[in-house]
Amino acid sequence: MTLEMEEIRGQESALDTTDRVKIAGTALEELLVSAKKQDYLTVGVYESAKVMNVDADNVAFCVLATDEEYECDIALQIHFTLIQAFCFDNDINVVRVNDIERLADLVGTDGTGEPKDAHCILVTSPGAESWKDPALDKLHLFCEESRSVYDWVPTITLPER
Protein backbone atom coordinates (compact mmCIF):
# COMPACT_ATOMS: atom_id res chain seq x y z
CA MET A 1 0.00 0.00 0.00
CA THR A 2 2.81 2.42 0.85
CA LEU A 3 4.50 1.80 -2.49
CA GLU A 4 1.29 2.68 -4.31
CA MET A 5 1.02 6.00 -2.47
CA GLU A 6 4.64 6.83 -3.34
CA GLU A 7 3.96 5.98 -6.98
CA ILE A 8 0.92 8.26 -7.01
CA ARG A 9 2.90 11.10 -5.43
CA GLY A 10 5.64 10.60 -8.02
CA GLN A 11 3.09 10.75 -10.85
CA GLU A 12 1.51 13.89 -9.40
CA SER A 13 4.94 15.48 -9.10
CA ALA A 14 5.80 14.61 -12.73
CA LEU A 15 2.46 15.99 -13.90
CA ASP A 16 3.02 19.17 -11.88
CA THR A 17 6.47 19.59 -13.44
CA THR A 18 5.07 19.16 -16.96
CA ASP A 19 2.31 21.65 -16.26
CA ARG A 20 4.78 24.10 -14.71
CA VAL A 21 7.02 23.92 -17.79
CA LYS A 22 4.04 24.47 -20.12
CA ILE A 23 2.85 27.45 -18.10
CA ALA A 24 6.39 28.86 -18.05
CA GLY A 25 6.70 28.39 -21.83
CA THR A 26 3.49 30.30 -22.43
CA ALA A 27 4.55 33.00 -19.97
CA LEU A 28 7.94 33.35 -21.68
CA GLU A 29 6.29 33.78 -25.08
CA GLU A 30 3.90 36.40 -23.64
CA LEU A 31 6.77 38.22 -21.93
CA LEU A 32 8.92 38.36 -25.07
CA VAL A 33 6.04 39.62 -27.21
CA SER A 34 5.11 42.26 -24.64
CA ALA A 35 8.71 43.37 -24.04
CA LYS A 36 9.37 43.59 -27.78
CA LYS A 37 6.36 45.89 -28.25
CA GLN A 38 7.71 48.18 -25.52
CA ASP A 39 11.30 47.98 -26.78
CA TYR A 40 12.44 46.29 -23.56
CA LEU A 41 14.49 43.54 -25.25
CA THR A 42 18.21 43.27 -25.79
CA VAL A 43 18.99 40.52 -28.28
CA GLY A 44 22.40 38.98 -28.89
CA VAL A 45 25.25 37.66 -26.77
CA TYR A 46 27.55 40.67 -27.19
CA GLU A 47 24.73 43.22 -26.94
CA SER A 48 23.48 41.54 -23.75
CA ALA A 49 26.97 41.48 -22.22
CA LYS A 50 27.30 45.22 -22.88
CA VAL A 51 23.95 45.98 -21.22
CA MET A 52 24.79 43.82 -18.20
CA ASN A 53 28.17 45.49 -17.81
CA VAL A 54 26.77 49.02 -18.00
CA ASP A 55 23.32 48.72 -16.44
CA ALA A 56 22.73 45.40 -14.64
CA ASP A 57 20.10 46.96 -12.36
CA ASN A 58 17.74 47.34 -15.32
CA VAL A 59 17.90 43.68 -16.39
CA ALA A 60 14.72 41.87 -15.34
CA PHE A 61 15.19 38.44 -16.97
CA CYS A 62 17.66 36.48 -19.12
CA VAL A 63 17.00 33.80 -21.75
CA LEU A 64 19.80 31.63 -23.12
CA ALA A 65 19.08 29.64 -26.25
CA THR A 66 20.90 26.83 -27.91
CA ASP A 67 20.27 23.88 -30.14
CA GLU A 68 22.24 20.84 -31.22
CA GLU A 69 24.09 22.82 -33.89
CA TYR A 70 25.65 25.13 -31.27
CA GLU A 71 26.25 22.70 -28.38
CA CYS A 72 29.88 22.24 -29.47
CA ASP A 73 30.53 25.97 -29.91
CA ILE A 74 33.05 26.44 -27.11
CA ALA A 75 33.11 30.25 -27.36
CA LEU A 76 29.31 30.38 -27.05
CA GLN A 77 29.35 28.02 -24.06
CA ILE A 78 31.98 30.20 -22.35
CA HIS A 79 29.79 33.27 -22.95
CA PHE A 80 26.81 31.39 -21.49
CA THR A 81 28.82 30.47 -18.39
CA LEU A 82 29.92 34.07 -17.86
CA ILE A 83 26.39 35.42 -18.45
CA GLN A 84 24.92 32.88 -16.02
CA ALA A 85 27.50 33.79 -13.36
CA PHE A 86 26.78 37.48 -13.83
CA CYS A 87 23.04 36.86 -13.57
CA PHE A 88 23.46 34.78 -10.40
CA ASP A 89 25.62 37.50 -8.83
CA ASN A 90 23.01 40.15 -9.67
CA ASP A 91 19.86 38.16 -8.76
CA ILE A 92 18.67 37.96 -12.37
CA ASN A 93 16.63 34.86 -13.23
CA VAL A 94 17.95 32.81 -16.15
CA VAL A 95 16.25 30.12 -18.25
CA ARG A 96 17.34 28.03 -21.21
CA VAL A 97 15.30 27.42 -24.33
CA ASN A 98 16.23 24.69 -26.81
CA ASP A 99 14.36 26.16 -29.79
CA ILE A 100 16.49 29.01 -31.09
CA GLU A 101 14.51 29.28 -34.34
CA ARG A 102 11.28 29.85 -32.44
CA LEU A 103 12.97 32.45 -30.25
CA ALA A 104 14.37 34.19 -33.32
CA ASP A 105 10.84 34.32 -34.76
CA LEU A 106 9.58 35.94 -31.56
CA VAL A 107 12.28 38.63 -31.38
CA GLY A 108 12.21 39.42 -35.10
CA THR A 109 14.88 40.52 -37.53
CA ASP A 110 17.56 43.17 -37.50
CA GLY A 111 17.60 46.25 -39.73
CA THR A 112 18.77 44.23 -42.75
CA GLY A 113 16.00 41.65 -42.47
CA GLU A 114 18.34 38.98 -41.10
CA PRO A 115 17.24 37.03 -38.00
CA LYS A 116 18.72 38.44 -34.80
CA ASP A 117 21.22 36.44 -32.76
CA ALA A 118 18.76 34.94 -30.28
CA HIS A 119 21.35 33.02 -28.25
CA CYS A 120 20.93 35.52 -25.43
CA ILE A 121 17.90 37.72 -24.80
CA LEU A 122 17.55 40.15 -21.94
CA VAL A 123 14.29 41.65 -20.81
CA THR A 124 15.14 45.07 -19.47
CA SER A 125 13.23 47.33 -17.15
CA PRO A 126 14.21 50.93 -17.89
CA GLY A 127 14.03 53.61 -15.26
CA ALA A 128 13.94 53.40 -11.51
CA GLU A 129 10.58 51.66 -11.37
CA SER A 130 10.53 47.98 -12.15
CA TRP A 131 8.41 46.98 -15.12
CA LYS A 132 5.47 44.88 -14.00
CA ASP A 133 4.16 42.12 -16.22
CA PRO A 134 2.10 39.09 -15.09
CA ALA A 135 4.16 36.82 -17.36
CA LEU A 136 7.38 38.05 -15.75
CA ASP A 137 5.92 37.32 -12.31
CA LYS A 138 5.05 33.75 -13.43
CA LEU A 139 8.58 33.23 -14.73
CA HIS A 140 10.15 34.55 -11.52
CA LEU A 141 8.01 32.08 -9.56
CA PHE A 142 8.95 29.25 -11.95
CA CYS A 143 12.65 30.02 -11.48
CA GLU A 144 12.28 30.24 -7.71
CA GLU A 145 10.50 26.86 -7.61
CA SER A 146 13.15 25.35 -9.89
CA ARG A 147 15.96 26.56 -7.64
CA SER A 148 14.23 24.93 -4.67
CA VAL A 149 14.91 21.57 -6.36
CA TYR A 150 18.46 22.58 -7.36
CA ASP A 151 17.65 23.33 -11.00
CA TRP A 152 19.62 26.58 -11.27
CA VAL A 153 19.01 27.24 -14.98
CA PRO A 154 15.72 25.53 -15.85
CA THR A 155 14.88 24.67 -19.44
CA ILE A 156 11.62 25.97 -20.86
CA THR A 157 9.82 24.68 -23.92
CA LEU A 158 7.97 27.31 -25.92
CA PRO A 159 4.42 26.45 -27.02
CA GLU A 160 4.00 24.98 -30.50
CA ARG A 161 2.86 27.27 -33.28
Side-chain angles (χ1 to χ4, degrees), residues 53-77:
N53 192 38
V54 173
D55 200 9
D57 291 339
N58 286 337
V59 177
F61 200 76
C62 179
V63 180
L64 299 176
T66 190
D67 56 16
E68 291 177 12
E69 180 181 346
Y70 293 99
E71 283 181 359
C72 296
D73 185 333
I74 301 301
L76 183 62
Q77 298 308 318

Side-chain angles (χ1 to χ4, degrees), residues 124-135:
T124 56
S125 176
E129 288 188 27
S130 187
W131 177 51
K132 295 295 178 195
D133 186 285

Side-chain angles (χ1 to χ4, degrees), residues 7 19 21 24 26-27 29 33 36-37 56 64 72-73 75 83 87 90 93 95 100 117 131 136 146 152 158:
E7 287 175 6
D19 289 344
V21 170
T26 301
E29 181 178 28
V33 169
K36 181 182 174 186
K37 287 178 185 173
L64 299 176
C72 296
D73 185 333
I83 289 168
C87 288
N90 289 279
N93 287 314
V95 295
I100 193 163
D117 170 21
W131 177 51
L136 183 59
S146 296
W152 302 107
L158 290 167

